[in-house]
Amino acid sequence: MLNSLIQLPSPKSPITSVEDIFSSSIGLIFSDDIHNQHGDPGSHVIYKSKRFGDLKLNLVNPGGELERRLFAQYLWNAGVLMGEIVSDPTFGSEGEHSRRWDVKGKAVLELGAGTGLAGITSCLAGAKEVVMTDYPAPEILGNIKVNVETNVPESMRSSTAVQGHEWGVITDDFSRAHANGFSIILSTDCLWMPWEHLGLVHSMLHFLSYDEGARIWVIAGFHTGRAKLASFFDLVTETGLEVEEIWERDIDGHEREWVKERDGGREDISGRKKWLVVAVLQWAHPTHRTT
């Protein structure tokens, strides 16, 4: 279960009020209440990696309304699952969607990094180069840098970078220098803003390598609605990419077929919070690729 991989810090002061006791016990009282986000702004969480041990992830304290609305101040289940996938190249090898999720020796770009978990685990797993990007807000980028310094050994940090990047803006020095420069692009919980989908896809197209094995790994939760995710994958197929694989996986590891609409559009909100969509994107036309 993904939630069992996250440890929250102990309260700084004793829980004494009725409201605090209820809040801290809500997951026990309502067993179907799924936590798809973890931690509190300005605090930290521990990701208990099976491969790399405990990783401490500081959570940004947003400096303004814009930063707050980006929701980088939490660790989301999509990020936890991506951390698991990146950490274990044989992830899912016994299931229907068998592949090697291997970043070793590859150039990896993380879009919408949040805490930087996917990029950090990529570095620890042996990626040749890792660039973690998020909206160019000093608080967010500074927090990712702290997490890198906390969890990545000094001898490995030279292969990592933290960079501000606004989706779809590809005329800056960083974007020009790294055009088609990454064989793996990671995107976790970046699909909840439909108005940003086009910019996100443009960044993916700009940065994805033409190598035959180049792939984009996308994981997103259904907590903001299935239709928002479906519209992204519709857009992908119109822009030069294609969906190589796509399916749904819940926090307990159960898998099922991806569908654009479930239960006639009346999908239970509390039920869908435990499910994630997992997708692998690639270039649609072989002529884009080099061998």
Side-chain angles (χ1 to χ4, degrees):
M1 185 173 181
L2 291 181
N3 289 353
S4 67
L5 300 175
I6 301 301
Q7 178 182 318
L8 302 179
S10 301
K12 294 182 179 179
S13 58
I15 298 176
T16 55
S17 71
V18 173
E19 292 82 2
D20 287 344
I21 293 172
F22 178 80
S23 177
S24 65
S25 305
I26 193 168
L28 299 175
I29 299 172
F30 302 108
S31 58
D32 61 345
D33 184 71
I34 304 299
H35 293 278
N36 59 331
Q37 66 185 54
H38 308 281
D40 295 303
S43 182
H44 73 272
V45 298
I46 301 295
Y47 165 56
K48 304 185 76 65
S49 171
K50 299 173 186 176
R51 180 177 178 185
F52 303 118
D54 290 357
L55 302 180
K56 179 182 178 181
L57 300 169
N58 291 286
L59 303 175
V60 67
N61 194 0
E65 180 64 14
L66 174 60
E67 290 81 2
R68 186 189 67 79
R69 293 174 62 185
L70 295 174
F71 293 101
Q73 62 267 34
Y74 303 105
L75 176 63
W76 298 85
N77 278 342
V80 180
L81 180 56
M82 186 69 83
E84 289 291 282
I85 286 177
V86 169
S87 300
D88 183 3
T90 63
F91 182 91
S93 59
E94 302 299 324
E96 178 183 352
H97 304 282
S98 178
R99 62 166 46 251
R100 285 191 61 82
W101 304 85
D102 197 355
V103 299
K104 187 174 182 179
K106 298 179 180 179
V108 176
L109 173 71
E110 184 178 10
L111 295 172
T115 63
L117 173 57
I120 289 169
T121 50
S122 293
C123 179
L124 297 176
K128 176 181 65 175
E129 176 187 7
V130 179
V131 179
M132 289 155 271
T133 70
D134 210 314
Y135 187 81
E139 297 91 346
I140 295 175
L141 299 180
N143 187 68
I144 298 173
K145 291 177 181 178
V146 169
N147 287 336
V148 171
E149 293 171 358
T150 301
N151 297 288
V152 177
E154 186 174 1
S155 61
M156 302 176 70
R157 289 179 206 158
S158 61
S159 64
T160 68
V162 177
Q163 176 68 43
H165 174 66
E166 187 173 352
W167 299 337
V169 179
I170 54 177
T171 56
D172 58 286
D173 292 343
F174 166 76
S175 298
R176 288 197 297 265
H178 291 83
N180 306 114
F182 298 94
S183 53
I184 297 293
I185 295 177
L186 309 176
S187 170
T188 58
D189 258 338
C190 294
L191 309 186
W192 56 277
M193 300 177 289
W195 58 91
E196 295 284 0
H197 285 176
L198 187 59
L200 177 60
V201 172
H202 281 169
S203 289
M204 291 174 171
L205 292 167
H206 178 80
F207 289 113
L208 186 62
S209 166
Y210 291 137
D211 294 341
E212 183 177 2
R215 295 293 187 273
I216 303 169
W217 301 347
V218 178
I219 304 179
F222 289 105
H223 48 280
T224 56
R226 183 175 292 267
K228 294 179 180 179
L229 279 59
S231 66
F232 170 80
F233 293 112
D234 287 340
L235 177 63
V236 160
T237 61
E238 301 170 1
T239 57
L241 296 171
E242 67 181 8
V243 180
E244 181 185 23
E245 286 189 273
I246 185 169
W247 68 97
E248 300 177 19
R249 182 182 177 95
D250 75 359
I251 60 173
D252 296 316
H254 303 118
E255 295 185 348
R256 66 187 183 187
E257 179 186 11
W258 151 262
V259 292
K260 292 183 179 181
E261 183 180 280
R262 193 172 291 277
D263 300 330
R266 298 183 298 275
E267 191 172 9
D268 177 68
I269 296 177
S270 61
R272 78 185 185 201
K273 283 174 64 177
K274 69 184 295 185
W275 286 92
L276 304 160
V277 61
V278 184
V280 181
L281 312 180
Q282 64 179 0
W283 288 111
H285 306 292
T287 53
H288 283 159
R289 306 172 190 159
T290 61
T291 57

